[in-house]
Amino acid sequence: MKEAVENLLETACRALSELGEDSKALDLARVRFLGRKGELAQLFKELGKVSEQERREAGRLLNEAKARLETLFSEALEKRRELDSAGRQAIDVSVPGRRAPLGRLHPISQTAAEICRIFNWLGFETVEGPEIELDYYNFEALNIPRDHPARDMQDTFYISEDVVLRTHTSPLQVRTMEKRKPPVRVIAPGRTYRRDSDVTHTPMFHQVEGLMVGKEISFGDLKGILTTFVHQMFGKGVALRFRPSFFPFTEPSAEVDIECVMCRGKGCRVCKSTGWLEILGSGMVDPEVYKYVDYDPEEITGFAFGMGIERIAMLKFGIDDLRLFFENDLRFLRQF
Amino acid sequence: MLISLNWLSDYVDCSLSTESIAEGLTMAGLEVEAISVRHPQLKNVVTARIEAVEPHPNADRLKICLVRAHARGGELLRIVCGAPNARAGVVAPLALPGAELSGGVVREAKVRGEVSGGMLCSRKELGLGEDHGGIWILSAETAVGVALDEALGIRDVLMEIGITPNRGDCLSFMGIAREVAALCKTAARYPASAVEESGPPIDSLTSVTIEDAQGCPRYGARLICGVKVGPSPDWLKDRVEAVGVRSINNIVDVTNYVMMELGQPLHAFDFNRLREKRIVVRTARAGERFTTLDSVEREPGEGTVMICDGVGPVAIGGVMGGLNSEIAPDTCDVLLESAYFNPVSIRRTSRALGLKTEASYRFERGTDPDGVPRALDRAAELMRRVGGGRVAAGRIDVLPHPIAASEVELRCERVNRLLGTSLACDEMKEYLESIEMRVEKTAPGLLRVRVPGFRSDITREVDLAEELARLSGYDRIPVTSPLASVHAADCDPRQMVRARAKELLIGAGFFEVINYSFIASDALGKLRYSDTDTVPAPIRVKNPLSDEQGVMRTTLMPGLLDNARHNIDHRSENFKIFELSKVFLPAGQGPGAEEIQHLAGIMAGNRSPLALYGEAEVDFADVKGVVEQICAFLRTEELRFRAESLPPWLEPSASASVYVSGQRVGELGSVHRDVLQACDVKRPLLAFRLDFDGLLDLRGPVPLYRGVPKFPPVPRDLALIAEERIPVEEPLEFIRSLKEPLVESVEIFDIFKSEQIGAGKKSIGYRFTYRAADRSLTDEEVNTVHGQLIAKVTARFGVSLR
Ligand SMILES: [Zn+2]
């Protein structure tokens, strides 16, 4: 028996070494030696003929042989697979993918969306209004009467005597309060127009207006909300500065500067060496404005703010020429 | 407002550094926009004494001056100089290497072989005068070796301060001094206003009558007789020039000086040219014409405040004087005007005449009615001093109605609540007093504030709140979070859909563009719209910057076509762009226009972003696919494309109108070649336009769930040989209209033409998917239904089955 087993192993080894490239031969060889009716199975059948004393020993030999054969075959199979895949032509994974084309939102849209997202998250609702606006909403009801020097602050495009292209998004303050009872918390993005065109001005630009009005809203709250906004927009550590200013429809009014995002406040060309960048105007809603919308200034307080989207986008993306926004050059648009 | 710190120091003592003052003013609402040195060219220019003069070895006209430029000790410098007046013992300005004079930067250089360590200068070379006759010989007592500007006492720093329209009171040195004083916790010093009078009382010499008390509530006058008009003394000239005012003569310079000093505009009349020697303030008469100082004849218009003499106008009140009464070289007696004009009236006049002056600028921002006499006295005294005249005794001060100072009640607690501060009432009192308010505590927590006349902007409690915030510092107001009820911000579904539609287009490879809302007046012409077309005429801008921006757009196409032109010209030839934004249609709702959202886009060049995967160009199916995709996104129903009702900017053979639920919502196709030519676009373009707002109204409802099918689909094909002119969609529509319940879907999978089929024919392959909700369909069942459908289709379209 021992001899027969050794013979079998020897034959199997030789058969495996002579297999060559053919993978079917391996399968056949496996059947020949390990199959249900294979040579090993035949030897197992003969186990019955072996004397009882030897049977134990013979059984051990056969089982060892079986394990040995299985190892040999799985090794051969493994080797075979390796050879197979090595032989096959591999894909050049550096060939570009067949991708669907991808466009981009205009950087102004991206910036406006980001600003609105932050305020929406703070509970401000996005509202919209007409761009061809009544003088009444654009000026009059914002406490900018016809013969006030504050009208000089904005060069206006006129459609007719009483109709203008809105010079800011502030008319939305009045329009919103006219329609709603306090509390009011809105944000109003949109196009605005001023009769001005040079390196730092385009006749059309974008603003976002914000308004929060209710009971017990203080200047401290204005600082709180705008600080939250700046930290969301430009990063947690960015310093802010509130500086007295003048807008006819807010009192007190404040200009908000942020620490220069280009030089981190050290002073550079962008911030004209001041370390500060002016980014928005704000203030407590002037009681005069409440009169136009029938709110009681004794009962209701609140704040408003407005910012230029182009300005924020320029800071956010490091764009140095305002006019690029409206040229719509693909080489520009692709970068965002 | 340009402020000289030298001049400012006349009115306030402040030990803070220039930078701290600038920072403090900025944080008090007076933004310091720039700080500069008065004479930057005098850097590196010092006083020097010529100790000895030697001849130049190589040039007869030049000499070598041995110059001492140190107070004591130090080496003598060798300076080459050609000025005849350079002689031993004189003190003169010496520009050292590095000095940046108007003629260039001074360097140590060889002049005809001799090294010169600097340059002795004339007045002109230093930009301090016209004299160029030789070097500027300074007084012999001048200290040697000090900076020239310091030695001359003209070292000065200038601050450019941005003054907001509400702070007219800060358009003067005194106004800025008051703010600096508050900053430094000190008091501002007003200039002396004592007048040395002589001669007869003014009342015996002239009179003032106010007929228009509305436009001119206060008018003061003084008379200075026997003046000698001439150049201003150096100090006066230097001061007005320091703040950018041209020196005219001693009398006019005094009026400008006092205006800069106190903020009160003044006017000087040649008294002897005033007819009847008196002043009448009245409104202009219709058609009245008048020639102002600048020699322009103007028609002030009814209601304008006119300053007249006994016969007619001599000045437009608060705006500009007249040629007929201006100070001339031979003027002997001067009538000085100091008045308070109604700000609104001045602004109207200034705007109507298109005439803005230093005076009108201040008057329309509100001057101090109480400051009228002070300015009058100050200027009269200065004129006496620099013009050598005599000031007639007394002054005229006509004030038809007393002008009440404004008094404001302040509730300390209310102000603290508004600001979020916790200032004590006494603290508030102190702050307000620091800017010359008179404050009285009338009850606990209650202040009565008397506002000085120069602060016409303060009339309400809230105005005082701003002053308190400003003076105590915005940075000291605590940062708090508002207490507000929780409510979800409503979201306008239209905004949301617009945002998502944009995302969808971006995913399809489109770049968003933003174009101006105005278009050229002839833009519609370029789109081949003619006058007879029934498109609405765009709304005109009354005062456009140019004709290119003359009208409000009624279509997005001009902007997009221009973007296409720009990009093709810059070698970006493969692109997809879109704009989703407003157009402005005349009339309708809205204050001036109906503003509706349009969506339009242009495609050009290769379909695939990579040439590797083919360089086929986009075609009609691509642009149609975009529109179909948008409509699918909006779940609109009954989307149809028909080659009818096309706008003129599309190529009729390759374009279609878009209909949703029977309503026309836009168009798409190839841009007409004439339009491409008119817009200078050098490549073919495909375009689409949708009335986005209209489309939103047609969007489908939120879908209701229907069970996912449990039984397998059974496919069947149908090949039709059809007349080429039959749209492939027509049989499809017909099949759908039959509403066979077992047909789940039908789609076109193949369209081709060949010789075999024959000329004028095409083969259309339709793939049917059959499915039942409650069972697996058998072949026989499907074959029966399919056969019936084929019969109906062939009967209807007369097409043969392949
Ligand atoms: Zn910087």
Side-chain angles (χ1 to χ4, degrees):
Chain A
M1 190 61 164
K2 190 179 177 187
E3 202 173 319
V5 171
E6 274 167 7
N7 266 339
L8 174 67
L9 281 174
E10 200 177 316
T11 325
C13 279
R14 200 179 318 120
L16 278 174
S17 66
E18 286 169 1
L19 272 176
E21 296 285 296
D22 196 351
S23 62
K24 267 194 189 140
L26 180 64
D27 293 340
L28 287 174
R30 190 183 171 88
V31 173
R32 172 179 161 200
F33 293 104
L34 281 165
R36 207 145 43 92
K37 292 174 181 170
E39 292 187 18
L40 186 67
Q42 293 301 323
L43 286 182
F44 267 103
K45 272 185 191 160
E46 290 186 16
L47 205 55
K49 297 173 190 166
V50 176
S51 68
E52 268 195 49
Q53 304 95 302
E54 288 176 18
R55 192 175 299 160
R56 212 183 145 85
E57 175 63 10
R60 192 183 57 83
L61 277 174
L62 278 174
N63 277 323
E64 271 177 15
K66 185 182 179 194
R68 175 88 184 116
L69 278 175
E70 274 169 352
T71 312
L72 279 173
F73 274 95
S74 59
E75 275 173 7
L77 187 68
E78 193 57 35
K79 211 164 154 194
R80 175 88 267 142
R81 282 187 183 144
E82 271 171 29
L83 278 173
D84 276 2
S85 50
R88 210 178 291 144
Q89 186 62 46
I91 281 176
D92 177 357
V93 294
S94 69
V95 172
R98 187 182 284 111
R99 59 173 180 267
L102 185 66
R104 292 281 176 203
L105 269 186
H106 194 286
I108 287 175
S109 289
Q110 291 187 30
T111 309
E114 175 70 4
I115 296 167
C116 289
R117 185 195 64 78
I118 294 167
F119 283 104
N120 288 161
W121 173 71
L122 289 168
F124 288 68
E125 173 188 339
T126 308
V127 294
E128 292 172 337
E131 293 169 29
I132 298 184
E133 184 56 284
L134 292 174
D135 185 282
Y136 174 81
Y137 287 108
N138 196 73
F139 293 123
E140 204 83 32
L142 287 167
N143 197 26
I144 316 174
R146 231 170 249 276
D147 292 301
H148 195 279
R151 286 233 176 171
D152 288 350
M153 292 168 92
Q154 301 169 4
D155 269 326
T156 311
F157 282 115
Y158 283 89
I159 297 296
S160 68
E161 182 78 358
D162 303 318
V163 181
V164 301
L165 294 185
R166 67 176 176 194
T167 57
H168 45 190
T169 38
S170 308
L172 264 303
Q173 288 185 31
V174 182
R175 285 186 171 274
T176 307
M177 288 193 282
E178 226 174 35
K179 270 185 251 156
R180 307 182 186 189
K181 290 279 138 236
V184 168
R185 224 187 305 176
V186 293
I187 188 103
R191 294 177 170 216
T192 47
Y193 307 84
R194 286 185 204 173
R195 204 174 174 284
D196 212 347
S197 184
D198 56 36
V199 181
T200 52
H201 298 89
T202 47
M204 185 189 92
F205 55 101
H206 297 74
Q207 281 193 341
V208 173
E209 190 81 8
L211 176 72
M212 178 168 190
V213 165
K215 282 196 172 132
E216 302 284 319
I217 308 246
S218 73
F219 194 96
D221 298 335
L222 159 73
K223 287 182 75 173
I225 290 286
L226 292 180
T227 302
T228 305
F229 164 71
V230 166
H231 286 171
Q232 285 284 318
M233 193 76 199
F234 293 102
K236 272 273 179 288
V238 174
L240 287 87
R241 174 170 95 162
F242 290 78
R243 192 158 47 75
S245 189
F246 169 72
F247 306 106
F249 42 97
T250 51
E251 186 85 3
S253 303
E255 205 85 64
V256 181
D257 299 339
I258 60 166
E259 177 190 321
C260 179
V261 291
M262 303 293 167
C263 65
R264 289 277 141 200
K266 286 187 197 74
C268 68
R269 203 175 49 83
V270 176
C271 60
K272 296 185 191 116
S273 315
T274 60
W276 294 102
L277 295 167
E278 190 178 313
I279 60 153
L280 55 85
S282 64
M284 301 303 290
V285 176
D286 195 294
E288 281 313 300
V289 177
Y290 291 135
K291 287 186 193 162
Y292 284 96
V293 297
D294 224 7
Y295 282 16
D296 179 359
E298 284 294 307
E299 280 279 301
I300 299 299
T301 54
F303 59 81
F305 56 88
M307 66 189 103
I309 300 178
E310 281 83 352
R311 171 90 172 144
I312 308 265
M314 287 171 91
L315 295 175
K316 192 96 187 154
F317 297 112
I319 298 166
D320 59 1
D321 185 353
L322 177 69
R323 289 166 299 186
L324 284 170
F325 286 121
F326 304 106
E327 221 168 52
N328 297 307
D329 190 308
L330 267 299
R331 295 166 299 179
F332 172 75
L333 297 176
R334 272 185 226 282
Q335 296 182 26
F336 306 96
Chain B
M1 177 83 199
L2 200 57
I3 290 290
S4 135
L5 290 193
N6 263 355
W7 187 350
L8 187 70
S9 69
D10 279 8
Y11 317 110
V12 63
D13 296 320
C14 183
S15 57
L16 295 177
S17 68
T18 304
E19 288 69 31
S20 304
I21 291 175
E23 165 84 7
L25 286 175
T26 296
M27 293 311 283
L30 299 157
E31 192 180 359
V32 176
E33 290 162 350
I35 301 176
S36 57
V37 179
R38 168 85 192 280
H39 296 292
Q41 79 278 19
L42 297 188
K43 199 180 167 198
N44 291 324
V45 179
V46 298
T47 54
R49 183 186 299 114
I50 304 177
E51 300 289 8
V53 177
E54 294 172 1
H56 192 290
N58 306 323
D60 290 345
R61 292 176 167 226
L62 297 178
K63 38 198 155 181
I64 295 166
C65 301
L66 297 172
V67 168
R68 179 178 304 284
H70 294 280
R72 98 172 44 98
E75 276 179 44
L76 294 187
L77 296 169
R78 291 172 70 82
I79 308 292
V80 178
C81 181
N85 62 348
R87 55 180 196 277
V90 302
V91 178
L94 172 68
L96 295 168
E100 292 178 30
L101 303 182
S102 57
V105 180
V106 175
R107 289 177 218 288
E108 190 175 276
K110 271 190 181 171
V111 183
R112 303 287 295 270
E114 284 292 318
V115 173
S116 183
M119 182 175 128
L120 289 162
C121 305
S122 68
R123 259 178 186 265
K124 190 172 182 182
E125 282 162 334
L126 294 171
L128 294 176
E130 290 305 311
D131 188 5
H132 198 41
I135 59 170
W136 182 8
I137 310 286
L138 302 170
S139 129
E141 288 90 62
T142 310
V144 169
V146 291
L148 180 68
D149 53 1
E150 202 183 314
L152 295 175
I154 56 168
R155 173 169 289 189
D156 200 358
V157 173
L158 299 175
M159 269 187 196
E160 178 70 55
I161 305 177
I163 308 289
T164 50
N166 58 326
R167 293 304 303 272
D169 64 300
C170 284
L171 294 169
S172 66
F173 277 85
M174 210 53 235
I176 300 295
R178 282 190 293 257
E179 290 291 326
V180 172
L183 212 65
C184 289
K185 311 219 175 308
T186 178
R189 250 188 329 267
Y190 283 81
S193 56
V195 188
E196 197 183 307
E197 299 173 342
S198 55
I202 187 169
D203 292 334
S204 66
L205 300 169
T206 184
S207 71
V208 171
T209 314
I210 296 183
E211 286 175 9
D212 177 20
Q214 175 72 32
C216 177
R218 186 169 193 174
Y219 194 104
R222 267 192 180 271
L223 204 53
I224 304 97
C225 300
V227 298
K228 196 169 173 330
V229 177
S232 288
D234 281 350
W235 71 266
L236 179 55
K237 199 170 158 203
D238 185 63
R239 284 218 159 158
V240 294
E241 283 179 347
V243 296
V245 177
R246 199 161 55 92
S247 171
I248 312 263
N249 58 46
N250 50 4
I251 301 303
V252 175
D253 286 359
V254 165
T255 60
N256 284 331
Y257 178 83
V258 175
M259 172 173 72
M260 290 297 172
E261 180 178 61
L262 299 173
Q264 170 66 51
L266 301 169
H267 187 66
F269 294 100
D270 182 334
F271 184 56
N272 296 316
R273 290 163 78 185
L274 296 180
R275 293 153 295 185
E276 299 178 15
K277 306 259 159 128
R278 63 191 186 97
I279 291 288
V280 177
V281 184
R282 60 157 168 85
T283 56
R285 303 195 172 115
E288 195 162 39
R289 301 181 77 81
F290 178 65
T291 305
T292 42
L293 272 175
D294 51 1
S295 307
V296 178
E297 185 176 79
R298 302 172 190 272
E299 194 179 318
E302 271 182 284
T304 306
V305 181
M306 298 301 289
I307 313 300
C308 305
D309 58 13
V311 177
V314 289
I316 299 176
V319 180
M320 196 180 262
L323 207 52
N324 59 4
S325 57
E326 89 175 307
I327 300 296
D330 62 349
T331 298
C332 173
D333 302 333
V334 173
L335 183 124
L336 181 65
E337 164 202 294
S338 173
Y340 173 72
F341 294 101
N342 181 326
V344 171
S345 159
I346 297 298
R347 180 164 169 79
R348 279 191 192 145
T349 302
S350 161
R351 262 209 319 175
L353 294 175
L355 185 60
K356 209 175 205 176
T357 59
E358 290 281 352
S360 71
Y361 190 75
R362 284 173 175 76
F363 281 127
E364 70 177 40
R365 279 160 176 72
T367 54
D368 179 6
D370 303 335
V372 165
R374 185 199 296 276
L376 202 54
D377 292 355
R378 171 74 169 154
E381 174 64 12
L382 283 176
M383 280 184 192
R384 186 189 66 78
R385 280 195 236 160
V386 304
R390 301 176 312 277
V391 180
R395 60 169 118 84
I396 292 174
D397 187 0
V398 185
L399 185 69
H401 312 288
I403 301 167
S406 122
E407 255 190 18
V408 184
E409 293 263 285
L410 185 150
R411 295 162 293 175
C412 302
E413 190 262 338
R414 165 85 185 163
V415 167
N416 273 327
R417 260 196 303 153
L418 179 73
L419 299 178
T421 47
S422 43
L423 295 170
C425 224
D426 289 328
E427 223 178 333
M428 293 189 186
K429 187 166 178 283
E430 262 172 51
Y431 278 124
L432 294 175
E433 282 169 345
S434 79
I435 49 167
E436 302 186 16
M437 310 243 167
R438 299 234 303 274
V439 188
E440 200 187 329
K441 206 164 179 179
T442 48
L446 203 62
L447 302 178
R448 184 183 296 144
V449 181
R450 243 177 103 89
V451 181
F454 54 81
R455 290 304 300 272
S456 59
D457 59 315
I458 295 179
T459 55
R460 307 164 301 170
E461 185 181 56
V462 68
D463 301 324
L464 292 173
E466 177 166 65
E467 292 304 301
L468 288 166
R470 189 172 79 79
L471 294 167
S472 63
Y474 276 22
D475 51 344
R476 282 181 51 205
I477 296 173
V479 175
T480 53
S481 289
L483 281 176
S485 58
V486 173
H487 73 267
D490 281 338
C491 188
D492 179 353
R494 284 174 179 266
Q495 291 167 16
M496 213 156 58
V497 175
R498 281 207 302 272
R500 291 179 58 196
K502 283 184 180 182
E503 295 291 346
L504 177 133
L505 284 159
I506 279 152
F510 280 82
F511 285 85
E512 187 194 19
V513 297
I514 295 182
N515 285 300
Y516 287 159
S517 303
F518 4 74
I519 53 174
S521 310
D522 65 348
L524 291 190
K526 283 188 179 172
L527 291 180
R528 298 181 72 243
Y529 284 102
S530 65
D531 295 340
T532 51
D533 277 310
T534 52
V535 289
I539 294 165
R540 292 205 157 270
V541 179
K542 260 175 81 176
N543 55 339
L545 282 173
S546 72
D547 226 26
E548 285 302 295
Q549 302 172 356
V551 300
M552 299 304 287
R553 64 184 179 186
T554 51
T555 157
L556 301 178
M557 289 321 293
L560 285 162
L561 286 165
D562 195 52
N563 302 151
R565 179 199 53 75
H566 172 93
N567 282 300
I568 289 167
D569 287 352
H570 289 85
R571 308 293 297 273
S572 298
E573 287 158 345
N574 308 317
F575 57 83
K576 300 177 189 175
I577 53 174
F578 79 95
E579 184 164 13
L580 173 46
S581 192
K582 276 180 180 175
V583 298
F584 304 83
L585 306 180
Q589 280 130 24
E594 188 175 0
E595 302 183 7
I596 57 169
Q597 299 277 345
H598 273 191
L599 168 62
I602 281 184
M603 307 167 84
N606 292 353
R607 176 180 302 134
S608 165
L610 294 174
L612 176 67
Y613 296 113
E615 295 187 273
E617 300 217 332
V618 288
D619 59 21
F620 182 84
D622 290 290
V623 71
K624 182 175 171 183
V626 172
V627 171
E628 285 173 332
Q629 199 81 321
I630 290 161
C631 290
F633 160 70
L634 294 173
R635 300 181 210 286
T636 59
E637 284 170 0
E638 285 184 66
L639 173 62
R640 302 287 179 273
F641 298 86
R642 283 200 286 273
E644 59 183 40
S645 312
L646 293 171
W649 53 272
L650 283 172
E651 202 66 71
S653 62
S655 303
S657 289
V658 184
Y659 296 84
V660 167
S661 304
Q663 221 168 299
R664 192 177 183 286
V665 293
E667 58 270 340
L668 57 85
S670 295
V671 177
H672 198 286
R673 66 192 95 92
D674 292 352
V675 174
L676 294 179
Q677 202 177 15
C679 298
D680 219 7
V681 178
K682 299 180 185 76
R683 299 281 308 264
L685 301 176
L686 288 148
F688 68 91
R689 181 205 69 87
L690 293 168
D691 169 359
F692 202 75
D693 276 339
L695 202 55
L696 285 191
D697 293 334
L698 297 169
R699 69 184 188 276
V702 177
L704 276 179
Y705 165 77
R706 288 170 305 188
V708 174
K710 290 194 183 69
F711 298 94
V714 182
R716 285 289 184 277
D717 289 352
L718 156 65
L720 290 178
I721 311 285
E723 295 289 330
E724 215 187 319
R725 58 172 175 79
I726 293 187
V728 294
E729 204 180 37
E730 231 171 272
L732 203 60
E733 282 297 309
F734 174 69
I735 296 162
R736 287 188 187 130
S737 72
L738 296 174
K739 294 205 160 74
E740 167 52 51
L742 292 184
V743 175
E744 187 180 71
S745 66
V746 194
E747 64 170 298
I748 298 159
F749 71 91
D750 186 32
I751 304 168
F752 76 94
K753 291 169 232 173
S754 73
E755 275 177 39
Q756 273 179 308
I757 303 169
K761 305 264 183 182
K762 63 185 166 190
S763 162
I764 317 164
Y766 295 96
R767 179 154 298 156
F768 290 62
T769 303
Y770 291 90
R771 198 198 305 256
D774 54 351
R775 63 189 191 281
S776 288
L777 293 172
T778 62
D779 275 355
E780 297 74 49
E781 206 175 350
V782 172
N783 289 346
T784 314
V785 177
H786 193 57
Q788 286 165 355
L789 284 179
I790 288 171
K792 282 179 184 163
V793 172
T794 46
R796 168 76 180 232
F797 292 95
V799 291
S800 50
L801 179 62
R802 183 163 54 138

